[in-house]
Amino acid sequence: MDLDVAVVGGGVSGTYCAWRLQQHSKGSRIALFEYSDRIGGRLYTVTLPGLPHVKAEVGGMRYIPSQHIMVANLVDHLKLKTKEFPMGAPPPVGANCNLFYLRGRHLRLHELADPAKVPYNLAWNERGLGPTNLQVQVMNTIYPGMANLSLCDTMKVQAFGKPLWKWGFWDLMFKSLSNEGYQFMKDAGGYDANVANANAVTQLPATEYSDETEFLTLADGYDQLPIQLADRFNRDMPGGLPEGERVLMNHRLAEIELGTGEYPYTLHFEPTVTVANKTRKAEAAARVVVRAKKVILAMPRRSLELIKSSFFDDPWLKANIPSVLIQSAFKLFLAYESPWWRALGLVAGRSVTDLPIRQTYYFGTECEQEGGLPFMNSLLMASYNDISTVPFWKGLELGKPYEGYKPTCLEPGVDRIVPQTEFPATELMIEVANKQVASVHALPELPMPYSAVYHTWNEDPYGGGWHEWKADYRLDEVMCRMRKPVDDVDIYVVGEAYSYGQGWVEGALDTAESMLEDFFDLKRPHWLPSNYALLPNPCPGCGDLEGCIECKDCGKTLTSITPSCLKKAQVS
């Protein structure tokens, strides 16, 4: 097969690139390749029995329409149905009484600012501050108003005698907070990643979501965004490859050969097979060879590292592929026959603990959903955690799979109570999780869930759930150049990993759109505001494209990046 463009990776950035390119060049031969039998990447929606309208998002799960402009506008353009992602605010649902179970003590959210109740030996200037406010205090001590700076200006900030970008966040906190203050920030924040030793430029700017912050998701599952993009690329655009040859599933990119001529890039794909949602190499299957004029690698860091190619021997690329941390993460959902947590005044949002489950999110009942069935079946994300607590659950992966039981209310035709997934939840895992959930809620015991779903993102080809910039890297330069890392090679890298919106779909779309505009000469789509800032534009003086810094040749400052994606207290 000979292609104008080969797009590798069926996540949101890959499907977006294929769709946009096909719209722009209707006669071009463009194909999208995906390792597994599923479009979506790290957007992955699972539907549990008895809950057809309450979706379990085992990957990315939400967006903020006021900040994630590309996601919001694209969703509107595609006319995808949205619904509120409930975080418990504003009242009467309000999450001000959601639980925190820290060091064996139960607190409500509003009590985190009460020094007499917080079980941490905080310094005098830390007492009375919640975890996010502690971070804001440090930020404003280093540079007042930092949360409102552009990336250009943040890269110029100095802290304790050296540029902020040279600091790891934990290292900086060690100089700014007591150890008890840091532990409180880590435990009560819910995410290890938010206090990890990543680049302080992206870690330190902080804002706390207000009661008015709106979160949305897609009514039919967040993975419908890439699924719909792939479907429209495959069906709706005339010209180019025949419909059945545009999206090629179960193809793992094993090797890229660099050559010359009209089709300088030879891609070697290993066929894979997916059985019971597990994807592996198809034994004894011959490689599929594809030639392409250009290649887009819409892949996370670990997936790039699994490709054999002299392309990755380029000195700059070899030095900067490791510029981001791969953060491990997993989710565990439990389905109950009734929302028992509402008797405790808990309706939506999350509760947080230092136990291995870390975060518990409350979702609605089936009967409350638009078009829902008259069931009280309810969904709880019993555990959402990352980094340090992931190994606890990895140790419980082996054993007898959890079979659940048939609930009183169940739609007809269901033959499996527990969905068949790549990583089956085990009996011991569910018993341990259910016990920890009971402890967080100060209950002696809980009914066992009738169904469950567990998914970890640590295994190949993903390596982790999201990425964060490492300390001591010029992330402004790296994210800009990574889109086309080798000057004389038409191979491009896009996705969440090397973006300014890591952990969010917005970051993946930002890198994809900016790459298409800068290197494929695509015009800004009509549904995206013309003044919306993507990655840095070329220097207006000399055309240099090395990042959001003063140009070394002409002295002019390159276009700044909007800081909105950095203003996060949580990761999606």
Side-chain angles (χ1 to χ4, degrees), residues 449-522:
Y450 74 81
S451 186
V453 62
Y454 163 71
H455 193 84
T456 175
W457 294 100
N458 304 326
E459 313 303 327
D460 289 343
Y462 299 103
W466 59 79
H467 301 76
E468 293 184 291
W469 291 101
K470 289 182 179 178
D472 213 25
Y473 279 89
R474 288 290 315 223
L475 60 110
D476 53 347
E477 296 181 13
V478 176
M479 74 173 70
C480 193
R481 182 170 173 179
M482 188 61 74
R483 300 170 302 162
K484 189 179 188 297
V486 183
D487 288 338
D488 58 350
V489 179
D490 288 324
I491 298 179
Y492 309 88
V493 178
V494 296
E496 165 269 343
Y498 302 95
S499 78
Y500 194 49
Q502 292 169 318
W504 296 98
V505 172
E506 187 79 357
L509 292 177
D510 272 353
T511 61
E513 178 60 33
S514 67
M515 183 276 295
L516 293 172
E517 291 183 19
D518 289 345
F519 302 111
F520 283 79
D521 296 324
L522 267 62

Side-chain angles (χ1 to χ4, degrees), residues 20 67 139 163 193 196 207 251 269 279 409 414 419 451 483 538 544 559:
R20 284 276 282 130
Q67 296 181 20
M139 177 180 66
T207 186
H251 281 64
F269 290 93
T279 301
C409 297
V414 174
S451 186
R483 300 170 302 162
D544 191 9
T559 305

